[in-house]
């Protein structure tokens, strides 16, 4: 689909094209129809004008011929030198001329000399003039009749010459001539509605609606024609200017489109005499003259122009209405399409929602079941863990009990001896020794109290609340608990505690339990080692308190690494280990949100690392 500006441009171009086509088409069609109309009217006018002209000429055509009926005329021509008869005939011709309203009537003898003339009494009379050179004389002599337009050689008066040969039984006597005034012929044109001209065989206008048109030429005259005019004095050396007629186009039936550019702005009647015309011509019967009627095209052009303008406006209007309707249709179509798309999207959405709801409820149910399952598993694990913790404690207590018994037996035996001795020293009155013994007894009782206190600590159930616990303090407590074993094994202890010591967010008792367990494992691993060493390191990094317990024992066996934190996994013999220590420890550390991991460092031994989130509060553990 084209873009909006492109569509607008193509619509505009289409509109311009259609408007131009309709304007030009209508103009041409209306013009052609108008020209056809004008042609029909022109033909009608042509017939009308030529008929009236012929009728006018016809009125005089018979006149020269009838003079042959006059005996005096015949007698004069037989004896041209009879002066008396010449005068009476001339007088007769004068009267006849007057009655007929012609310009002049005269008789020419067979030699071409004028023998009698209607103007015999006026100055410039034709009498005795030699007119043998005049074409109308020669035509009449040769053919019986002559017609000629010309300008009088004597008086310079233009006129139409009608000549007839007069003869008797013996032969040709002479020629009678009647000269008719052009004005007389023009009289018949006073009522014409369109300009018309009569041109002679030379293309010279001899009659014209406009006075200026007379004695103009329709076509350029060559030199030979001009010199012939000089010989015949046809136009009596009048200057023959061109009419300024230019043929534009030849139409059918001898009709031509012409333009007249003449200088004359004179208006005859109501019609213009310059501009574009439809020219229609026909030859006048019995003459070599051509009658041309001009129909002005201005009216036709105006009508064609106004109709073309109307067609243009109508085209634009129809086009605009079409475009508007099309726009409306497009708009409606787009709206419907948008509605359909919306409906589809809505349906799709509903379908998806339904699908998802079903999926969701299914997955929800599955999730719920899984959660319930996990909760159950968690509960089971926690219960097992709790049990294991207790069991672990008991195990540690079991392990400790031998040491505890040993530790307590020694002071107890010492207490027994010291108290027995004290009684005897008191009986002897040796108070100094008695006091020394009692002080030693108090020290031993304190030491025993320490041992039992730590055992109580280990056995105590955790509060479950996380607090800021100083790591080094926890290490010290754990070491104190295992002190007899450590000492017994001769272990070298290395302890690295930075200052300020890191505070881990955890439960102090449970952390100590973990450490006791790790240290206990280390001691187990170091059994029989020639130079046992345990290294404890505290640090902090990226929000974590890090505590590692490392020994220089044999390190973690391959199977132990794979199952390290699994409950009941142990490499120790029966009665030595339950395989619960690390599993419980890992669970405790996990409770703190931390991790417990074990590995073999490159330089030997085993290392366990605790990572517990750092606390920011003040330490509460004492
Ligand atoms: P137990 O000590 O009862 O065997 P634990 O869970 O504490 O159970 O330890 C599991 C096993 O991990 C031990 O049996 C031992 O094989 C191995 N282990 C633990 N600590 C060490 C250590 N420091 N060096 C070597 N092996 C160790």
């Amino acid at each position: 689909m084209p873009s909006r500006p492109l569509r607008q441009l193509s619509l505009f171009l289409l509109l311009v094209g259609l408007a131009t086509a309709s304007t030009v088409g209508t103009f041409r069609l209306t013009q052609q129809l108008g020209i056809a109309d004008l042609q029909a009217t022109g033909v009608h006018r042509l017939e009308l004008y030529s008929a009236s002209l012929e009728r006018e000429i016809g009125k005089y055509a018979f006149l020269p011929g009838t003079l042959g009926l006059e005996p005096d005329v015949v007698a004069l021509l037989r004896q041209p030198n009879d002066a008396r008869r010449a005068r009476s005939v001339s007088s007769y011709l004068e009267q006849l001329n007057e009655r007929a309203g012609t310009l002049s009537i005269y008789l020419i003898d067979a030699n071409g000399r004028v023998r009698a003339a209607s103007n015999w009494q006026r100055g410039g009379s034709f009498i005795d003039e030699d007119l043998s050179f005049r074409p109308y004389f020669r035509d009449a002599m040769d053919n019986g009749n002559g017609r000629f337009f010309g300008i009088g050689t004597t008086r310079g008066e233009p006129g139409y010459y009608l000549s007839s040969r007069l003869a008797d039984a013996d032969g040709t006597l002479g020629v009678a001539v009647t000269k008719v005034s052009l004005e007389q012929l023009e009289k018949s044109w006073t009522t014409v509605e369109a300009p018309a001209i009569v041109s002679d065989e030379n293309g010279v206008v001899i009659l014209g609606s406009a006075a200026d048109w007379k004695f103009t030429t329709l076509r350029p005259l060559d030199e030979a024609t001009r010199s012939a005019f000089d010989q015949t004095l046809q136009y009596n050396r009048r200057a023959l200017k061109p009419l300024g007629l230019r043929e534009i186009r030849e139409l059918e039936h001898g009709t031509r489109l012409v333009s007249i550019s003449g200088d004359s702005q004179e208006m005859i009647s109501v019609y213009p005499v310059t501009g574009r015309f439809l020219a229609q011509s026909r030859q006048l019967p019995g003459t070599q003259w051509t009658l041309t009627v001009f129909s002005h095209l201005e009216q036709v052009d105006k009508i064609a122009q106004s109709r073309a303008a109307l067609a243009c406006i109508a085209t634009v209007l129809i086009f605009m209405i079409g475009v508007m309707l099309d726009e409306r249709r497009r708009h409606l179509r787009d709206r419907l399409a948008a509605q359909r798309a919306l409906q589809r999207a809505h349906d799709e959405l509903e379908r998806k929602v339904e699908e998802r709801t079903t999926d969701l409820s299914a997955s929800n149910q599955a999730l719920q079941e899984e959660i319930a399952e996990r909760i159950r598993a968690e509960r089971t694990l926690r219960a097992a863990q709790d049990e294991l913790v207790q069991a672990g404690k008991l195990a540690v207590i079991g392990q400790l009990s031998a040491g505890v018994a040993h530790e307590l037996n020694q002071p107890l035996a010492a207490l027994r001896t010291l108290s027995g001795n004290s009684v005897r020293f008191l009986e002897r009155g040796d108070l100094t020794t008695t006091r020394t013994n009692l002080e030693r007894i108090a020290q031993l009782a304190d030491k025993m109290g320490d041992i039992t206190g730590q055992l109580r600590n280990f056995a105590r159930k955790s509060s479950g609340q996380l607090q800021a616990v100083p790591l080094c303090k926890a290490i010290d407590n754990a070491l104190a608990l295992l002190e007899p074993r450590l000492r017994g094994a001769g272990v070298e202890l290395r302890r690295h505690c930075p200052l300020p010591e890191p505070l881990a967010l955890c439960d102090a008792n449970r952390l100590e339990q973990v450490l006791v367990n790790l240290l206990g494992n280390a001691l187990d691993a170091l059994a029989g080692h020639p130079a046992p060493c345990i290294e404890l390191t505290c640090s902090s990094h990226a929000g974590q308190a890090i505590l590692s317990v490392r020994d220089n024992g044999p390190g973690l066996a391959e199977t132990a690494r794979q199952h390290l934190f699994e409950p009941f996994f142990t490499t120790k013999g029966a009665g030595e280990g339950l395989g619960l220590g690390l599993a419980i420890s890992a669970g405790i550390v996990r409770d703190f949100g931390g991790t417990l991991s074990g590995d073999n460092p490159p330089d030997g031994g085993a290392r366990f690392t605790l990572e517990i989130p750092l606390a920011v509060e003040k330490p509460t553990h004492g």
Side-chain angles (χ1 to χ4, degrees):
M1 190 174 278
S3 67
R4 198 168 170 79
L6 199 68
R7 187 179 128 77
Q8 281 177 348
L9 179 70
S10 45
L11 277 178
F12 176 72
L13 290 178
L14 184 65
L15 173 63
V16 170
L18 282 175
T20 312
S22 75
T23 309
V24 172
T26 311
F27 182 81
R28 290 255 164 89
L29 189 71
T30 320
Q31 199 185 40
Q32 272 171 13
L33 290 174
I35 287 174
D37 257 11
L38 273 189
Q39 253 176 317
T41 318
V43 168
H44 180 66
R45 280 183 186 147
L46 209 54
E47 278 168 8
L48 201 72
Y49 297 172
S50 85
S52 66
L53 207 59
E54 269 175 53
R55 204 169 43 246
E56 202 60 35
I57 293 169
K59 279 202 297 198
Y60 307 103
F62 70 95
L63 202 59
T66 50
L67 287 177
L69 302 173
E70 186 57 44
D72 270 356
V73 170
V74 175
L76 178 66
L77 290 176
R78 277 191 189 135
Q79 292 174 339
N81 295 323
D82 187 342
R84 195 183 55 80
R85 179 160 285 141
R87 278 196 297 278
S88 75
V89 169
S90 290
S91 161
Y92 167 68
L93 292 179
E94 188 181 0
Q95 285 171 36
L96 191 64
N97 186 46
E98 239 169 71
R99 293 264 175 91
T102 51
L103 272 183
S104 56
I105 303 173
Y106 46 98
L107 287 172
I108 306 171
D109 67 15
N111 297 321
R113 190 171 292 278
V114 178
R115 290 300 174 183
S118 56
N119 58 359
W120 64 291
Q121 280 183 312
R122 285 193 232 148
S125 157
F126 300 157
I127 302 287
D128 276 343
E129 233 179 276
D130 181 5
L131 296 178
S132 58
F133 64 93
R134 292 291 239 178
Y136 57 84
F137 171 73
R138 287 206 303 273
D139 284 349
M141 289 293 280
D142 295 346
N143 309 319
N145 284 309
R147 288 186 178 199
F148 178 71
F149 169 77
I151 296 172
T153 47
T154 322
R155 296 163 62 95
E157 200 171 29
Y160 183 42
Y161 296 84
L162 298 160
S163 60
S164 285
R165 187 175 60 188
L166 301 180
D168 63 1
D170 299 334
T172 302
L173 295 171
V175 172
V177 182
T178 306
K179 184 179 176 185
V180 183
S181 159
L182 285 178
E183 282 161 17
Q184 259 167 308
L185 295 180
E186 281 168 358
K187 266 184 208 158
S188 63
W189 281 13
T190 49
T191 54
V192 296
E193 298 153 332
I197 55 166
V198 174
S199 53
D200 66 8
E201 66 277 16
N202 301 314
V204 176
V205 177
I206 53 171
L207 272 179
S209 306
D212 283 5
W213 284 0
K214 224 179 283 176
F215 301 112
T216 56
T217 56
L218 297 182
R219 51 182 183 265
L221 299 173
D222 56 24
E223 265 319 299
T225 318
R226 280 190 186 277
S227 62
F229 292 165
D230 290 345
Q231 270 180 17
T232 57
L233 295 179
Q234 187 169 358
Y235 306 106
N236 204 16
R237 297 196 176 89
R238 274 210 187 209
L240 301 172
K241 284 192 232 151
L243 174 62
L245 182 99
R246 191 173 59 82
E247 187 168 318
I248 299 170
R249 190 152 40 104
E250 174 107 35
L251 304 173
E252 67 275 25
H253 310 306
T255 312
R256 289 162 297 141
L257 267 184
V258 297
S259 78
I260 299 175
S261 61
D263 312 326
S264 165
Q265 294 300 314
E266 186 188 349
M267 297 288 286
I268 303 292
S269 184
V270 289
Y271 47 77
V273 290
T274 54
R276 289 169 70 243
F277 292 91
L278 192 72
Q280 288 165 287
S281 305
R282 72 185 288 177
Q283 194 157 7
L284 287 172
T287 67
Q288 287 182 300
W289 297 356
T290 307
L291 170 67
T292 306
V293 174
F294 295 102
S295 308
H296 204 256
L297 284 172
E298 191 185 29
Q299 207 60 25
V300 172
D301 284 351
K302 273 187 184 165
I303 291 172
Q305 276 163 9
S306 61
R307 295 218 174 135
L310 271 177
C312 180
I313 292 167
T315 308
V316 171
L317 270 177
I318 291 169
F319 189 84
M320 297 295 259
I321 291 169
V323 167
M324 271 162 63
L325 287 176
D326 187 52
E327 275 297 315
R328 209 176 127 74
R329 189 181 58 77
R330 273 165 187 274
H331 183 67
L332 278 174
R333 193 191 59 194
D334 288 355
R335 244 174 62 179
L336 279 175
Q339 266 177 8
R340 276 200 295 272
L342 208 66
Q343 186 62 44
R344 270 202 302 277
H346 179 258
D347 293 349
E348 180 70 5
L349 205 66
E350 263 193 355
R351 193 181 60 75
K352 278 188 180 162
V353 167
E354 209 166 308
E355 251 176 44
R356 295 263 160 94
T357 314
T358 320
D359 286 0
L360 211 63
S361 55
S363 62
N364 206 13
Q365 204 174 342
L367 205 67
Q368 277 177 359
E369 280 169 11
E370 198 182 319
I371 288 169
E373 183 63 29
R374 287 217 179 150
I375 289 171
R376 270 200 300 279
E378 184 86 359
R379 277 192 195 139
T380 315
L381 197 67
R382 199 163 276 268
Q385 237 178 35
D386 285 350
E387 279 168 25
L388 287 172
V389 167
Q390 278 315 107
K393 281 180 183 173
L394 291 174
V396 172
I397 288 168
Q399 277 179 349
L400 286 174
S401 54
V404 170
H406 174 74
E407 282 295 307
L408 291 181
N409 273 344
Q410 216 184 5
L412 273 175
L415 280 177
R416 183 88 193 108
T417 314
L418 283 170
S419 59
N421 286 349
S422 297
V423 172
R424 272 192 294 279
F425 283 124
L426 197 63
E427 284 167 355
R428 280 184 214 161
D430 187 354
L431 289 175
T432 313
T433 310
T434 307
R435 184 181 297 119
T436 311
N437 276 359
L438 284 174
E439 279 169 3
R440 179 83 182 115
I441 286 168
Q443 280 172 356
L444 286 171
D446 282 349
K447 191 175 179 187
M448 286 168 75
D450 278 353
I451 292 169
T452 52
Q454 279 167 4
L455 283 173
R456 195 176 60 242
N457 268 350
F458 183 77
R460 196 169 56 211
K461 268 213 161 193
S462 125
S463 67
Q465 268 194 346
L466 301 185
Q467 288 171 320
V469 177
L471 284 187
C472 300
K473 187 80 186 164
I475 289 173
D476 287 345
N477 287 346
L479 286 173
L481 272 174
L482 291 172
E483 209 265 321
R485 267 193 80 191
L486 288 165
R487 200 158 18 93
V491 173
E492 182 197 346
L493 274 174
R494 289 184 197 160
R495 192 167 148 281
H496 308 286
C497 261
L499 280 173
E501 71 183 283
L503 300 179
L505 188 66
C506 60
D507 180 286
N509 289 329
R510 300 184 81 190
L511 177 62
E512 281 163 21
Q513 286 167 18
V514 172
L515 289 175
V516 164
N517 187 37
L518 294 177
L519 286 167
N521 279 346
L523 282 168
D524 287 346
L526 289 170
H529 197 283
C533 176
I534 295 178
E535 195 174 359
L536 292 134
T537 313
C538 290
S539 64
S540 61
H541 175 71
Q544 298 285 320
I546 300 162
L547 199 164
S548 72
V549 179
R550 183 183 166 187
D551 61 63
N552 62 344
L556 300 169
E558 184 55 38
T559 46
R561 278 197 6 220
Q562 284 169 12
H563 309 283
L564 208 52
F565 299 103
E566 285 176 17
F568 302 110
F569 171 77
T570 181
T571 56
K572 296 167 190 170
E576 287 177 6
L578 286 172
L580 288 170
L582 287 178
I584 292 167
S585 299
I588 291 170
V589 176
R590 213 171 25 246
D591 275 354
F592 301 157
T595 57
L596 172 63
S597 58
D599 67 335
N600 291 335
D603 43 349
R607 177 173 61 190
F608 284 85
T609 308
L610 278 160
E611 286 190 30
I612 304 169
L614 273 173
V616 284
E617 301 107 275
K618 270 179 78 74
T620 55
H621 190 78

